[in-house]
Amino acid sequence: MSRKPGDWLLRAGALEAFTTLDVYRPISRRGPLSPLVFFSTWPVSELPVQAAMFQVATAAALARPRDVRSRRGIAGLALTAASVAGLLGVRRAADRVEGELELALVDGLGPDYRHDIRRPSWPGQQTSPKAPGAVRSMLIRKRFAQDTDVAYGPHGRYNLLDVWRHRDLPKDAKAPVLLQVPGGAWITGNKQVQAYPLMSHLAERGWICVAMSYRLAPKSTWPDFLIDVKRAIAWIRANIAEHGGDPQFLAITGGSAGGHLSSLAALTPNDPAYQPGFEDVDTSVKAAVPLYGVYDWVDETGVGHSGLPRMLERMVVKGKLKDNPAPYHAASPLYQIGPDAPPMFVLHGTNDSLVPVEQARLFVERLREMSPETVAYAELPLAQHAFDLFGSVRAAATAEAIERFLGVVYGREKA
């Protein structure tokens, strides 16, 4: 069948407009289509200017004279123009996220919180560190990962970590430490690629960051992942002073499954069930910063992703929730909240189509009810899952906000 003039312009414009609309209003945040929504809108929502340039270039490549003069071609160009305008709106929303984060910190820490920020210092420290941009973030590991593939446990490549630090940081600096737990639905992921904007931002300001890998499903099952996180904490307690870190000030962070494990580790300090062979090691942390985490494996309220229970039953727990709910409750940070919870800064995107934001809201509500410690919460408008990966405007603002939050906890601890 012959192609009508303007067909390709119309098809391209329709697809572009649909994708941009999906960035604003995801067609699915809980159902079977949500992974497709995530992968199609995630890079567009974080790099909207680049996406707009690509759309314009595509239209220019397809715009032959006979196509441009046709009704279909005109309609396609109009859809592309609308899409580009929408993407510029996404960029404006990203530019405003710094204000949203500041409001969250003021709400959690108080209006004068900046007076309590304490930043590490050392001779030769840079006065104006660079923001973690997209290209720079992809190349940053070589600069800051000073010690790589360090074994922290007995499980080979799954128990390795990297120590990120500024090359000028003295070995006796006693710098505060952040442990980064990667995400990947407990079945994939490792210590590379994730959280580079945050770790580079902190390393340039005198922090030490430890990026870890852990055992993965389906070969390993719950609670192996949490045990590995606790084992990494034990390694930090015993060894980080040799790298210039302070073993007495350790915070933890992670995104997605890493958000789940980091919050759960923070809420279950020194639990011998998760510390086989190192029961006497202190595994408490001073603060936790979970990003777009999974906080409830039971999901009695029905706000979680519809596909999560089946995946957990088949791959992660390897047992049905209705037959044995105990491990699902034990693995849910929502049910482990108590008065000993450390200060937390919870971050989630409003348009997350893999872990619905409603679960984060429920977790924060329960934290504020039961914990006397600081709880800051930021919802990032139009942000998808894994919004901090690309070194985007939103990722840079998030890294700076997390650094301020941790700086307050560090300053109040030292005061």
Side-chain angles (χ1 to χ4, degrees):
M1 187 170 67
S2 61
R3 180 175 66 86
K4 295 181 179 179
D7 262 359
W8 286 111
L9 277 174
L10 181 59
R11 293 173 185 177
L15 178 61
E16 291 162 356
F18 177 79
T19 301
T20 300
L21 183 61
D22 219 9
V23 170
Y24 281 90
R25 286 186 169 274
I27 60 172
S28 176
R29 292 194 296 114
R30 291 190 178 88
L33 289 178
S34 60
L36 179 61
V37 172
F38 165 66
F39 285 111
S40 63
T41 62
W42 173 40
V44 175
S45 63
E46 290 309 308
L47 303 172
V49 173
Q50 293 89 333
M53 293 171 62
F54 177 80
Q55 291 182 5
V56 170
T58 300
L62 296 174
R64 293 179 172 84
R66 66 189 293 264
D67 294 318
V68 172
R69 290 192 296 266
S70 68
R71 290 182 178 180
R72 288 172 175 264
I74 292 171
L77 290 174
L79 287 170
T80 295
S83 178
V84 169
L87 290 174
L88 295 180
V90 174
R91 174 55 190 262
R92 287 192 292 271
D95 288 335
R96 292 193 295 269
V97 78
E98 186 175 350
E100 302 284 343
L101 291 163
E102 178 66 12
L103 288 174
L105 292 176
V106 168
D107 181 57
L109 298 169
D112 299 322
Y113 80 89
R114 288 177 183 260
H115 296 304
D116 294 334
I117 295 175
R118 175 167 174 168
R119 292 185 168 96
S121 61
W122 72 93
Q125 181 182 18
Q126 291 178 233
T127 56
S128 300
K130 297 179 181 178
V135 175
R136 186 167 174 267
S137 292
M138 292 187 289
L139 307 174
I140 207 71
R141 181 174 181 265
K142 185 176 180 180
R143 178 178 178 185
F144 287 112
Q146 303 296 330
D147 300 284
T148 61
D149 294 332
V150 180
Y152 71 85
H155 299 289
R157 64 188 177 94
Y158 296 107
N159 282 178
L160 298 177
L161 55 79
D162 295 342
V163 179
W164 287 47
R165 58 192 297 276
H166 198 286
R167 63 172 60 93
D168 295 331
L169 188 73
K171 288 296 184 71
D172 60 352
K174 294 184 178 179
V177 184
L178 178 73
L179 174 61
Q180 153 65 21
V181 185
W186 307 278
I187 60 177
T188 187
N190 58 47
K191 58 188 172 61
Q192 295 191 39
V193 179
Q194 299 185 38
Y196 281 14
L198 174 60
M199 292 195 294
S200 63
H201 186 81
L202 288 174
E204 284 190 319
R205 285 153 178 78
W207 281 71
I208 286 180
C209 298
V210 177
M212 65 171 293
S213 298
Y214 52 85
R215 285 172 288 172
L216 300 170
K219 183 176 181 179
S220 296
T221 56
W222 164 262
D224 292 345
F225 332 111
L226 181 60
I227 290 172
D228 284 354
V229 174
K230 301 275 191 173
R231 199 181 299 276
I233 293 174
W235 183 94
I236 290 170
R237 288 270 188 261
N239 298 281
I240 204 63
E242 300 173 11
H243 300 265
D246 181 359
Q248 300 308 312
F249 191 91
L250 170 62
I252 191 168
T253 189
S256 194
H260 163 260
L261 292 170
S262 60
S263 58
L264 192 58
L267 294 169
T268 58
N270 308 320
D271 188 331
Y274 306 126
Q275 298 180 208
F278 57 106
E279 293 86 353
D280 296 332
V281 176
D282 178 13
T283 56
S284 63
V285 296
K286 298 295 185 183
V289 184
L291 292 83
Y292 42 90
V294 181
Y295 303 109
D296 184 5
W297 282 13
V298 181
D299 196 24
E300 293 176 344
T301 59
V303 299
H305 193 284
S306 63
L308 180 64
R310 186 166 181 266
M311 190 274 284
L312 292 173
E313 289 177 346
R314 292 178 59 242
M315 305 283 286
V316 180
V317 180
K318 296 179 183 175
K320 290 193 175 294
L321 171 62
K322 65 179 182 180
D323 295 337
N324 184 17
Y328 291 86
H329 279 92
S332 298
L334 184 69
Y335 298 105
Q336 307 307 319
I337 299 171
D340 296 330
M344 284 200 183
F345 185 16
V346 181
L347 300 98
H348 216 102
T350 60
N351 288 7
D352 193 321
S353 58
L354 295 183
V355 182
V357 67
E358 288 83 1
Q359 198 169 101
R361 293 172 186 166
L362 182 62
F363 179 62
V364 169
E365 180 183 348
R366 188 76 59 86
L367 269 174
R368 288 174 170 167
E369 288 175 355
M370 302 185 66
S371 171
E373 285 289 356
T374 295
V375 180
Y377 176 55
E379 282 189 13
L380 281 61
L382 302 186
Q384 253 294 352
H385 200 72
F387 57 79
D388 60 329
L389 182 70
F390 289 105
S392 60
V393 170
R394 189 179 282 118
T398 300
E400 292 169 0
I402 292 173
E403 187 258 338
R404 293 199 299 276
F405 174 81
L406 293 175
V408 169
V409 178
Y410 182 56
R412 291 175 179 176
E413 174 76 15
K414 292 300 180 182

